[in-house]
Amino acid sequence: PYPKPTYAPDHGGAPVTLAEALRTFGLSPLDAACAEKAADPRIPLHCVPVWSPERYAMVAAIPRNSGASAWQNSTCAACGPVKVSRAAVHCRSCGAILPRPVTKVNGRARLVRGFHNSTYRRMSPDSPARTITTATGRIGGNYTLHPYENRVFSPLECARLQTFPLGFEWGDALVKLGHTNVREMIGEAVPPLFTKRHGRVLISLLRNGSTVRLVSAEDRRCLRAEKALNEFGMSVGTPAPHEE
């Protein structure tokens, strides 16, 4: 008994875009160029790591609101836009290293090994936010870059996107554990709103058997979930093998 989707177009809703969500948060802009711009002193959880000039230049070269990645950067600091292949490391005109994910091995520059589709990429502002993972503080994580500011998302933004309540009490977690561990806790969490919606369904069924707004068993989501459970050797509606 899954709760009926709220924002799904096929159920009469409309997805909330990342840009809309960020506007509702009303948080101050941040910048990874220096410590003074990378944190809001009034809100401890609204802070981001400071980058080296090379890393900052690489992210700044990704067009704002484009949803593009640094792997696509083809603008040389000296020559401007240049035509190069996806595997190129150097400018064809002057030989300078392009603002792409590059590392040096034995003194020679080469592209970082990694997933080109999702890493070093800005989130698209026109779509719902991507999954919030434990690696939101890493520049090379999956879709960790802000859509229009030169930085990753702050722990507070990640918590809000993960639907943590605005009044959630973090206590001294940031001081004791540091932003990396707080980010991991947020990424490991099941979104609270997801849990709340499913909890309401279960409470309704346990109390009087009535149904809140449920999705049809023939909905593609239910069918996909049933298929996934069957692939794990579990049949929907029957107990797991270890249960009495």
Side-chain angles (χ1 to χ4, degrees):
Y2 297 99
K4 190 173 182 179
T6 305
Y7 301 104
D10 58 339
H11 284 272
V16 177
T17 67
L18 175 60
E20 290 170 339
L22 292 176
R23 281 196 296 270
T24 63
F25 297 167
L27 296 169
S28 58
L30 301 177
D31 194 287
C34 60
E36 291 76 17
K37 296 181 179 180
D40 185 337
R42 302 166 300 171
I43 310 174
L45 277 175
H46 191 41
C47 60
V48 296
V50 176
W51 293 332
S52 67
E54 293 77 17
R55 284 194 161 191
Y56 186 88
M58 178 180 67
V59 174
I62 306 172
R64 298 171 187 266
N65 294 314
S66 66
S69 76
W71 300 103
Q72 300 166 284
N73 287 342
S74 57
T75 299
C76 173
C79 306
V82 292
K83 290 186 178 181
V84 292
S85 69
R86 289 179 62 90
V89 175
H90 298 91
C91 172
R92 295 177 59 181
S93 300
C94 69
I97 296 176
L98 294 170
R100 290 181 170 185
V102 173
T103 187
K104 288 189 176 181
V105 179
N106 297 325
R108 298 185 62 183
R110 67 165 177 79
L111 291 179
V112 172
R113 293 190 178 94
F115 297 99
H116 289 208
N117 290 333
S118 58
T119 59
Y120 299 93
R121 182 179 291 275
R122 292 189 186 274
M123 270 200 205
S124 171
D126 301 322
S127 303
R130 293 279 181 162
T131 300
I132 301 300
T133 70
T134 59
T136 55
R138 302 175 190 170
I139 189 173
N142 289 331
Y143 294 95
T144 59
L145 300 180
H146 195 279
Y148 49 85
E149 294 180 10
N150 297 326
R151 61 179 179 89
V152 294
F153 293 89
S154 72
L156 181 55
E157 288 170 325
C158 293
R160 295 296 308 278
L161 291 172
Q162 193 77 308
T163 72
F164 276 67
L166 181 60
F168 185 83
E169 297 290 342
W170 290 94
D172 57 357
L174 187 63
V175 176
K176 283 188 173 181
L177 304 175
H179 78 89
T180 299
N181 285 303
V182 171
R183 288 176 181 277
E184 288 181 355
M185 288 192 290
I186 295 169
E188 290 284 5
V190 174
L193 184 58
F194 177 94
T195 305
K196 181 178 180 180
R197 293 287 308 281
H198 283 74
R200 283 179 172 173
V201 170
L202 296 178
I203 289 173
S204 174
L205 293 172
L206 289 170
R207 283 180 174 172
N208 51 28
S210 66
T211 58
V212 294
R213 298 181 65 198
L214 299 179
V215 67
S216 166
E218 299 304 315
D219 187 276
R220 58 187 174 85
R221 299 164 184 78
C222 295
L223 296 176
R224 190 164 58 236
E226 182 177 355
K227 180 181 178 182
L229 288 172
N230 288 334
E231 289 176 352
F232 279 101
M234 297 176 63
S235 180
V236 175
T238 62
H242 66 276
E243 294 180 335
E244 295 293 331

